[in-house]
Amino acid sequence: VSAERGIFRVRARAVVLAMGCRERPRGALDICGTRPAGVYTAGTAQRLVNIDGLLPGREVVILGSGDIGLIMARRLTLEGAHVACVAELMPYSGGLKRNIVQCLDDSGIPLKLSHTVVDVEGERRVKAVTIARVDDRLQPIPGTEVRYPCDTLLLSVGLLPENELSRQAGVRINPVTRGAFVNDQLMTSVPGVFACGNVLHVHDLVDYVSEESAHAGACAARYVQEAAGLAAGEKDLPGAATELPIEATGGVRYTVPSFVSPGRMADTMKLRFRVGAVYQDRYVSVYVGDRRVSHRRKPVMAPGEMQEVTLRRADLADARPGDTVRVLLEDE
Ligand SMILES: Cc1cc2nc3c(=O)[nH]c(=O)nc-3n(C[C@H](O)[C@H](O)[C@H](O)COP(=O)(O)OP(=O)(O)OC[C@H]3O[C@@H](n4cnc5c(N)ncnc54)[C@H](O)[C@@H]3O)c2cc1C
């Protein structure tokens, strides 16, 4: 679909999925209370302030410490609003450390970890929000409630890759990232369909998206050229069909890509991943079969910060069919 041409049909030998992600809305959260005006996703508030020049409210509580929520805490403060606090369900922030320092600490905005919103008051407009501490099972602890009179509640509670089209196309989706499983060429389980950016996995920074997207575009173009060559009778590249699965384990939640072909990967490749908790002084290790090919110390790793490790083509030289590439955290 395009604004200029409406619905139209394009024949293509390759498609790059780049539909981005959407914010998790309030309906996806179980928050008690009324449904007044003044509850926004952080991205909507960002649009109102940055593009429409409107201030969504004057006294604000933010639920969730994703990067957009943190950035909006600072932005609203600079615009003259007061941000009472940022409440985060988990015992760690979902955003980048630098955003916590620059957007909250510098303005004296408290970050309340292991807290959630338990009540929203207001008939036409938000009047107050109550937050409470949660226990290990993320359930509110009675008696810990604090009521914040305010006119606005911003939600920064996660982003969901926009994969309805991908599912329709039969693309296999990774339940952890909610994006496609891809190989080192960023090709999905459907030949000729590639994916990059936030539709593949949620990125912290646009710089990584740009890098990944350039790679997806180059791979899609090469796929089209090779498909044309094959149609003209050329032989497939040696080793292209052999793919090793990449397994995320030992504290690593997922990796992108999920498969690598030693026969056709570039000399080096970045494996991007996220960890499932906050870790200090751990080693990120990569094994090919039983052989450890990479072992790097990381002082701190947190779920909100995307990590990367470089895999070299030479590391896979001795890999046998059936081997797995494993990425995991080790104590030493
Ligand atoms: C609200 C928000 C604020 C952010 N702010 C920052 C920031 O300040 N700095 C930073 O570095 N990163 C920021 N990010 C991180 C973000 O990951 C990147 O900035 C980047 O925009 C992601 O690029 P993308 O191309 O994957 O997705 P997007 O930029 O979201 O692009 C996807 C596009 O696809 C379109 N689309 C979706 N479905 C269809 C369809 N079926 N047909 C046609 N078009 C479709 C969408 O309308 C959209 O225009 C932010 C992310 C969000 C969600």
Side-chain angles (χ1 to χ4, degrees):
V1 175
S2 86
E4 294 79 28
R5 296 172 62 184
I7 297 175
F8 61 104
R9 186 175 283 256
V10 181
R11 285 181 66 87
R13 281 185 191 267
V15 177
V16 181
L17 302 174
M19 294 90 79
C21 60
R22 62 170 177 263
E23 294 181 281
R24 184 171 283 146
R26 176 183 177 160
L29 300 173
D30 291 332
I31 302 179
C32 304
T34 50
R35 297 288 181 264
V39 181
Y40 302 90
T41 64
T44 301
Q46 193 175 42
R47 189 203 149 88
L48 287 172
V49 175
N50 291 359
I51 295 178
D52 300 331
L54 300 169
L55 195 59
R58 301 231 162 246
E59 187 66 29
V60 185
V61 169
I62 300 180
L63 174 61
S65 59
D67 285 313
I68 311 159
L70 299 177
I71 288 167
M72 285 315 293
R74 174 175 59 186
R75 187 88 174 106
L76 289 171
T77 305
L78 292 174
E79 294 297 334
H82 177 250
V83 179
C85 71
V86 174
E88 167 59 57
L89 181 68
M90 305 306 288
Y92 48 79
S93 165
L96 297 171
K97 177 78 184 160
R98 73 167 195 223
N99 280 338
I100 297 167
V101 173
Q102 293 172 6
C103 301
L104 300 189
D105 297 354
D106 286 359
S107 305
I109 300 168
L111 171 61
K112 296 197 159 293
L113 299 174
S114 298
H115 278 76
T116 193
V117 169
V118 291
D119 195 20
V120 178
E121 295 170 44
E123 293 273 314
R124 293 171 64 83
R125 176 87 198 190
V126 173
K127 237 172 45 189
V129 163
T130 302
I131 71 168
R133 179 174 280 285
V134 297
D135 61 20
D136 294 347
R137 292 173 301 118
L138 308 180
Q139 297 304 310
I141 303 171
T144 62
E145 297 86 356
V146 177
R147 182 174 178 272
Y148 290 88
C150 60
D151 57 21
T152 303
L153 172 65
L154 293 196
L155 305 175
S156 178
V157 288
L159 301 166
L160 302 171
E162 190 81 56
N163 269 307
E164 285 65 27
L165 273 180
S166 323
R167 286 198 186 86
Q168 280 176 40
V171 165
R172 230 181 112 218
I173 301 291
N174 181 336
V176 179
T177 58
R178 301 187 190 214
F181 281 109
V182 290
N183 64 15
D184 51 286
Q185 309 293 300
L186 299 182
M187 188 158 83
T188 68
S189 59
V190 177
V193 177
F194 297 76
C196 59
N198 279 358
V199 79
L200 179 55
H201 60 141
V202 173
H203 294 65
D204 314 334
L205 296 172
V206 70
D207 311 64
Y208 298 137
V209 174
S210 305
E211 202 182 298
E212 194 177 85
S213 308
H215 182 51
C219 292
R222 196 166 60 211
Y223 177 88
V224 170
Q225 285 164 354
E226 285 177 5
L230 288 178
E234 279 178 21
K235 281 214 158 90
D236 198 0
L237 289 176
T242 317
E243 282 189 350
L244 307 179
I246 304 173
E247 189 188 334
T249 170
V252 176
R253 287 187 66 227
Y254 73 86
T255 66
V256 169
S258 301
F259 300 93
V260 57
S261 166
R264 66 177 306 168
M265 71 175 275
D267 287 345
T268 60
M269 181 187 90
K270 277 182 188 150
L271 266 176
R272 297 211 158 105
F273 66 91
R274 281 184 196 271
V275 293
V278 177
Y279 293 99
Q280 288 184 331
D281 263 334
R282 296 291 169 101
Y283 287 80
V284 177
S285 300
V286 181
Y287 286 79
V288 177
D290 295 335
R291 200 164 46 89
R292 190 161 74 187
V293 296
S294 168
H295 189 57
R296 289 255 162 132
R297 183 177 161 272
K298 283 271 191 172
V300 184
M301 282 177 283
E305 315 229 352
M306 198 151 73
Q307 311 290 329
E308 62 183 36
V309 62
T310 301
L311 191 63
R312 295 173 309 157
R313 186 178 179 153
D315 296 335
L316 302 177
D318 299 331
R320 294 180 300 261
D323 273 351
T324 299
V325 178
R326 284 181 300 135
V327 185
L328 65 153
L329 307 185
E330 293 184 312
D331 290 339
E332 51 187 41

